[in-house]
Amino acid sequence: MGCTSSMWYSKTVDEALSALQVDPAHGLSDDEASSRLATIGHNELEERGIKSPWAILWEQLTAIMVVILIIAAAISFLLGETTDAIAILAIVVVNAVLGVRQEYKAEKAMAALKQLAVPSVRVRRSGALVSISARDLVPGDIVFLEAGSSIPADGRLVESANLQVEEAALTGESVPAEKEWAWQGQENTPLAERSNSVYMGTSVTYGRGMFVVTETGMRTELGKIATMIQSVDRSPTPLQVRLDNLGKVLAVVALILVGLIFVLGLWREGVSHLRELFLTSVSMAVAAVPEGLPAVVTIALALGGQRMLVRHALIRKLLAVEALGSVTVICTDKTGTLTENRMSVRSVVAGGKRFDLPVEPATLGQSPSLAIALSIGALCNDAQWTKAEANRKTKAIGDPTETALCEGAAELGLDKVRLEQAMPRIAEAPFDSVRKRMATLHKVTSDAPVRWLVSPGEPAPAYVTCVKGAVDGLLGVCDRILVDGAVHTIDQRHIDDTLRTNDALSSQGMRVLGFAYAPLNEPPQETTVGKLECHLVFAGLMALIDPPRPEVNDAVALCKTAGIRPIMITGDHPLTASHIGSELGLLEHGGKAVTGLELEAMNEDELRRSVGHSQVFARVAPESKLAIVDALQKNGEIVAMTGDGVNDAPALKKANIGVAMGITGTDVSKGASDMILLDDNFATIVAAVAEGRTIYDNIRKFIKYLMTTNSGELWVMIAAPFLGMPLPLLPLQILWMNLVTDGLPALALGVEPPERNVMRRPPSKSGESIFAHGLGIHVVWVGLLMAVIALGAGWYYWSHEAAGSNGATRWQTMTFTILTLSQMAHVLAIRSGRDSLFTTGIWSNRSLMLAVTATVLLQCALIYVPFLQKVFAMVPLSAFDMAVALALSSVVFWAVEAEKFVLRRTASQ
């Protein structure tokens, strides 16, 4: 076929047809098409490298934490603790099933991509127009398009008539792209500006055309995206990294403990207690492993996901909930996320004056020029608006620009239905891409709500022609202009002033249209373009834009307060992106967007520097989106990426958190994402970040609680032999604390309400240990404090009762009880990392208070119920002993409260 270049848009039609060796009047012969199909293959997207469910399951089961849990379950079986072992294995199974299910769903994103192919198309083969399967298309096929057609392959237009194609899924453009077969591009023209080309996965919204197929299957732009999706390796979430590191540390600690406690016990007790020493050592090793951690994490993430759903964020992967809390950069699309995804009239320049909408309806009476311009916009318009819904601006249906013109007029009382009733359309000259104008002819009745201004001496018109279109072209067919409420002959000064206004508004990224009219005493005999578009009065121009969502400014400001950098990445025009970026505070006024072409010219170091300080990127291709995310991650950022189109899918998959749009998003983008915004709103992402931070805080509180209590138990067991004491805790008592004392309060910590400063602090740093910000130090000193209090009291009772009294186990009961109550005091104190319990409110987490109460009651049952006394080797404590235990255990609470007081004072200085 000759040509292997992908830059078909830079070739003329004749050059493209020659390279593809095809005559458009005849098409490919059946034999040639079959030969090319055998050489190139079917026009379909291929699935490559998808993991099987078994491979995903193996990855789940070989994670460090899971391996430790499986070993803990096996040891529990050896110790005869069947219930504990079954509970641990149940946790492993549930987490593995959830993980496999969610990851396999992500792997199947390609299935949605394949559905974008159309089943059949109309092509010319061997001189005849035939319908064939889209799978059988080959380069050189001549394909026909009409409104509603899905485009089955990439191609170069051969013919077009008013052709408009919806390409938002590939380019991010908020309005359909106008296509023109005669246009010829330059090298490296961005995809969104290639007016002579069409692409697989897009659709025709208006007009008709014919194109020659240039690329099929995986060689299309859609196929390139499919390749990127399947080649992207998803980054692990911060929580996955931190839990994996924690698992490695705990594995080492558990092995050391088994040996240390066994040796110490052997030194103190001798070989006569070998079996008990082994059981105790292994019990302590099991206690060092927080087997409840996966359950707490899963429950906390699931509950967080439910709360996010109420706030219009649907979580597809549980770990994404926490990862949101670690996000340092949010890369967001513009259309529909930062903006309202609807065109809106921003400014009207009429009669020599500028009106920035909204304005008071009374302004119409003071400015007939404004009323005329708005009326032309509503009358010269094919958008549909039913009479019953004429006052409901959101019910205009049609082209986004035309619906915006209708809504702008309706806001000032000039609704389309009333205007058309008073001035019915009797003829029209449709828009075409050559004139870039549309004209309509209307009869003016006595009920007309608009006073059409005429030149001095002219009577009120019986008919009026309304014209809208590109400003420069429209000025060329106008001989008069409205200035200060009167009609004047147009001169060069008027033209220059109008073009300067047009350029100024366009430079702000707005779409500008001109409006004109011709007052007539009788309709023209011929309603041709030449007859309708003559002797026009230039009425003014309107600037339209997709406006920012009103709540986004506050959300962007909150991001900055929280140490998160919002970045806009869009396929839109750089001027539009820069204007919206400035309005939202992403860019300093006068700042410029970085374009996709500029990004492609950068080397890796330049790209990393650019993404380190640039806030707005425009005309960005899928490859560049992926490169931006990759560069940010190499800079150490935790990246959330939003998107709705097929072109966003690779970057969504690559990002730490992929966020798809629920309303405008394609199935492909949703399949590659971790979270779906049901309202397509940037503010929802920020709310989800706050929820993610709360969940991570609660997971850290759980780890702080569990590791501190476990370290307290370990210090007691290690220190006792050095004081000449027997081992103070029995294996069953250790397992009781591990299962009950640790379990219930820890689960309740997972639903702790957010702290008041959750969005007033920077996110946790990439690679940061889960023990950062003083958690590790807290574990050590509070664990030591618990051990000193419990073992000190135990030593006192043991030394006073060791001489033949019948209180041989009372000291163990006191040690065990003080440790348990100290843990309850500790869990109450760590509910907030900074604020006092009395500030947060004792009952603000009712679940935790109930868990603490239940644990204390269960501990009392061990002490005072005869059957349980025997099982756990306990003796009943007197009221005085219980009072001593309560008083000593409360020391932990007051010590932690003092620590928080110091932290608050230090932070305020």
Side-chain angles (χ1 to χ4, degrees):
M1 289 174 290
C3 181
T4 58
S5 170
S6 61
M7 291 191 293
W8 295 97
Y9 55 84
S10 64
K11 302 181 183 302
T12 65
V13 170
D14 290 341
E15 288 172 342
L17 293 172
S18 175
L20 292 163
Q21 301 173 13
V22 63
D23 176 4
H26 185 269
L28 295 175
S29 67
D30 292 334
D31 290 342
E32 177 63 19
S34 298
S35 173
R36 294 186 183 188
L37 185 64
T39 303
I40 296 172
H42 286 289
N43 176 36
E44 60 185 359
L45 303 182
E46 302 168 9
E47 295 184 7
R48 301 170 182 166
I50 291 182
K51 294 180 190 174
S52 71
W54 296 110
I56 298 171
L57 177 62
W58 177 251
E59 289 182 1
Q60 294 283 328
L61 294 177
T62 52
I64 292 292
M65 278 296 296
V66 175
V67 170
I68 293 175
L69 290 179
I70 293 172
I71 293 171
I75 292 171
S76 296
F77 270 121
L78 291 175
L79 296 174
E81 299 300 323
T82 308
T83 303
D84 203 17
I86 292 173
I88 295 171
L89 288 176
I91 291 168
V92 171
V93 170
V94 169
N95 279 279
V97 169
L98 286 174
V100 170
R101 181 172 175 269
Q102 290 165 352
E103 187 169 344
Y104 188 63
K105 273 187 174 182
E107 291 289 330
K108 296 297 288 181
M110 272 298 300
L113 200 62
K114 292 182 72 174
Q115 292 175 2
L116 292 174
V118 290
S120 62
V121 290
R122 291 192 305 140
V123 301
R124 183 169 283 150
R125 289 269 180 94
S126 299
L129 190 62
V130 296
S131 180
I132 67 169
S133 169
R135 291 182 70 247
D136 297 330
L137 281 176
V138 294
D141 266 324
I142 303 298
V143 181
F144 291 82
L145 298 173
E146 58 187 11
S149 297
S150 293
I151 295 172
D154 290 2
R156 170 64 163 88
L157 287 171
V158 176
E159 293 179 3
S160 63
N162 301 326
L163 184 64
Q164 295 183 12
V165 178
E166 175 60 67
E167 294 183 332
L170 282 179
T171 66
E173 287 278 13
S174 53
V175 294
E178 296 179 3
K179 297 294 183 178
E180 174 55 51
W181 70 271
W183 180 88
Q184 186 174 348
Q186 303 298 315
E187 185 177 349
N188 295 327
T189 300
L191 190 148
E193 298 175 9
R194 299 174 191 170
S195 300
N196 61 10
S197 300
V198 291
Y199 298 97
M200 176 191 277
T202 61
S203 59
V204 178
T205 60
Y206 191 80
R208 58 181 177 79
M210 179 175 73
F211 74 93
V212 57
V213 174
T214 55
E215 306 288 356
T216 60
M218 297 299 283
R219 292 171 297 280
T220 63
E221 293 295 327
L222 197 66
K224 293 175 185 176
I225 292 171
T227 301
M228 284 190 284
I229 291 175
Q230 295 176 126
S231 61
V232 167
D233 292 325
R234 184 178 294 277
S235 301
T237 70
L239 186 61
Q240 284 175 307
V241 173
R242 289 163 183 155
L243 291 183
D244 190 56
N245 292 336
L246 176 62
K248 293 174 183 176
V249 171
L250 292 176
V252 173
V253 169
L255 288 173
I256 293 173
L257 284 174
V258 170
L260 181 61
I261 294 176
F262 184 79
V263 170
L264 288 174
L266 195 63
W267 168 59
R268 182 69 181 85
E269 303 288 347
V271 295
S272 58
H273 295 80
L274 196 60
R275 182 179 181 279
E276 184 180 346
L277 285 174
F278 175 75
L279 291 178
T280 302
S281 301
V282 173
S283 298
M284 290 307 300
V286 172
V289 178
E291 63 267 24
L293 180 57
V296 170
V297 169
T298 301
I299 291 169
L301 296 177
L303 292 174
Q306 291 176 9
R307 290 193 294 271
M308 287 185 183
L309 186 59
V310 174
R311 304 181 79 165
H312 309 293
L314 174 63
I315 301 298
R316 295 185 66 250
K317 298 166 190 173
L318 284 183
L319 283 169
V321 178
E322 176 277 332
L324 277 164
S326 302
V327 162
T328 59
V329 174
I330 299 177
C331 296
T332 175
D333 191 20
K334 176 186 73 67
T335 305
T337 310
L338 297 175
T339 65
E340 295 181 3
N341 195 25
R342 66 177 186 89
M343 297 299 286
S344 176
V345 178
R346 173 63 62 86
S347 298
V348 181
V349 180
K353 297 179 181 178
R354 176 170 172 168
F355 303 89
D356 292 322
L357 272 57
V359 297
E360 294 296 326
T363 309
L364 281 184
Q366 302 164 8
S367 177
S369 301
L370 176 62
I372 287 173
L374 290 170
S375 298
I376 296 170
L379 289 167
C380 187
N381 193 313
D382 289 330
Q384 299 298 312
W385 203 340
T386 63
K387 182 176 180 179
E389 297 170 333
N391 292 322
R392 297 175 62 184
K393 65 179 183 178
T394 57
K395 289 300 181 182
I397 301 170
D399 176 82
T401 299
E402 294 200 326
T403 59
L405 296 175
C406 289
E407 292 167 3
E411 286 177 1
L412 293 175
L414 294 170
D415 66 77
K416 181 177 174 65
V417 172
R418 182 185 171 201
L419 285 168
E420 288 184 333
Q421 288 175 339
M423 290 176 283
R425 184 189 301 189
I426 57 176
E428 66 181 271
F431 173 88
D432 69 53
S433 56
V434 178
R435 292 166 37 244
K436 295 188 181 298
R437 293 189 296 275
M438 173 184 180
T440 55
L441 177 64
H442 301 264
K443 180 177 177 59
V444 181
T445 69
S446 57
D447 295 329
V450 181
R451 180 169 64 90
W452 297 95
L453 299 178
V454 295
S455 298
E458 288 187 17
Y463 298 87
V464 65
T465 300
C466 296
V467 185
K468 77 171 189 292
V471 174
D472 51 356
L474 187 56
L475 284 169
V477 292
C478 292
D479 55 19
R480 289 168 292 172
I481 187 171
L482 278 182
V483 180
D484 296 329
V487 177
H488 299 268
T489 301
I490 199 167
D491 58 28
Q492 192 61 43
R493 179 176 59 84
H494 294 135
I495 293 174
D496 291 343
D497 288 345
T498 302
L499 290 176
R500 274 194 296 270
T501 302
N502 175 60
D503 291 344
L505 292 170
S506 297
S507 68
Q508 297 176 19
M510 291 189 267
R511 184 177 188 186
V512 184
L513 293 176
F515 299 85
Y517 68 100
L520 303 170
N521 293 324
E522 56 184 33
Q525 293 181 348
E526 296 179 14
T527 56
T528 61
V529 169
K531 296 295 184 181
L532 290 176
E533 296 179 358
C534 64
H535 303 299
L536 296 176
V537 180
F538 188 83
L541 47 81
M542 295 189 209
L544 300 92
I545 198 167
D546 182 7
R549 290 177 179 265
E551 65 274 18
V552 168
N553 278 90
D554 290 340
V556 168
L558 185 58
C559 275
K560 294 179 177 179
T561 302
I564 300 169
R565 188 160 65 98
I567 295 176
M568 181 199 299
I569 304 177
T570 179
D572 268 356
H573 194 281
L575 291 175
T576 305
S578 297
H579 179 70
I580 295 296
S582 296
E583 285 203 9
L584 295 175
L586 296 175
L587 277 181
E588 296 293 331
H589 285 286
K592 293 183 179 180
V594 179
T595 67
L597 287 177
E598 291 170 336
L599 288 174
E600 290 170 10
M602 296 178 186
N603 60 36
E604 183 176 340
D605 290 339
E606 290 171 337
L607 179 60
R608 289 180 63 175
R609 283 195 296 272
S610 179
V611 300
H613 60 79
S614 301
Q615 300 292 101
V616 176
F617 298 88
R619 281 287 189 256
V620 177
E623 298 88 345
S624 296
K625 289 186 178 182
L626 194 60
I628 290 171
V629 173
D630 184 57
L632 285 167
Q633 290 174 332
K634 287 178 179 176
N635 286 347
E637 307 285 4
I638 305 296
V639 183
M641 171 76 190
T642 75
D644 56 1
V646 174
N647 60 331
D648 297 319
L652 289 175
K653 187 175 179 183
K654 174 66 176 173
N656 300 90
I657 302 295
V659 183
M661 303 296 108
I663 299 173
T664 60
T666 60
D667 288 342
V668 182
S669 63
K670 292 174 184 176
S673 69
D674 304 289
M675 183 176 90
I676 298 173
L677 295 184
L678 300 181
D679 58 359
D680 289 11
N681 193 338
F682 179 80
T684 302
I685 305 174
V686 181
V689 167
E691 188 66 51
R693 288 190 176 190
T694 299
I695 289 167
Y696 181 56
D697 283 351
N698 291 346
I699 291 171
R700 274 175 51 89
K701 289 170 188 174
F702 167 78
I703 292 172
K704 178 189 282 190
Y705 169 66
L706 200 64
M707 299 304 291
T708 303
T709 57
N710 287 356
S711 71
E713 297 165 18
L714 295 174
W715 287 122
V716 166
M717 295 296 288
I718 292 170
F722 290 100
L723 296 176
M725 301 168 64
L727 291 177
L729 298 174
L730 302 178
L732 195 58
Q733 292 172 343
I734 295 170
L735 292 173
W736 170 266
M737 283 193 287
N738 201 31
L739 183 64
V740 178
T741 309
D742 291 348
L744 293 176
L747 288 172
L749 277 176
V751 295
E752 188 67 32
E755 300 202 29
R756 57 188 173 89
N757 69 334
V758 70
M759 290 298 281
R760 289 184 173 86
R761 65 173 194 247
S764 53
K765 295 179 182 177
S766 176
E768 181 180 271
S769 167
I770 207 159
F771 293 109
H773 305 295
L775 191 150
I777 295 172
H778 178 96
V779 167
V780 173
W781 82 261
V782 177
L784 276 171
L785 179 63
M786 284 183 182
V788 168
I789 293 170
L791 197 56
W795 181 86
Y796 176 83
Y797 276 77
W798 171 74
S799 62
H800 282 72
E801 297 175 352
S805 69
N806 193 26
T809 58
R810 185 174 299 277
W811 71 274
Q812 289 180 317
T813 302
M814 282 295 290
T815 303
F816 181 33
T817 301
I818 292 172
L819 264 180
T820 300
L821 296 179
S822 295
Q823 291 168 4
M824 296 304 98
H826 180 238
V827 79
L828 292 175
I830 63 168
R831 283 185 49 198
S832 171
R834 289 289 187 274
D835 294 329
S836 168
L837 175 65
F838 306 107
T839 301
T840 58
I842 294 175
W843 288 101
S844 58
N845 185 347
R846 292 181 178 273
S847 299
L848 182 60
M849 291 306 298
L850 291 173
V852 169
T853 302
T855 303
V856 171
L857 291 175
L858 286 169
Q859 183 67 22
C860 290
L862 298 187
I863 298 170
Y864 297 111
V865 175
F867 167 71
L868 293 175
Q869 288 174 3
K870 261 188 177 181
V871 173
F872 287 88
M874 308 280 279
V875 297
L877 299 176
S878 66
F880 176 78
D881 290 339
M882 281 300 295
V884 169
L886 286 168
L888 290 175
S889 60
S890 70
V891 172
V892 173
F893 174 82
W894 296 113
V896 176
E897 284 289 335
E899 177 193 38
K900 292 191 292 183
F901 176 77
V902 172
L903 290 173
R904 290 196 301 272
R905 290 292 298 270
T906 304
S908 64
Q909 292 175 355

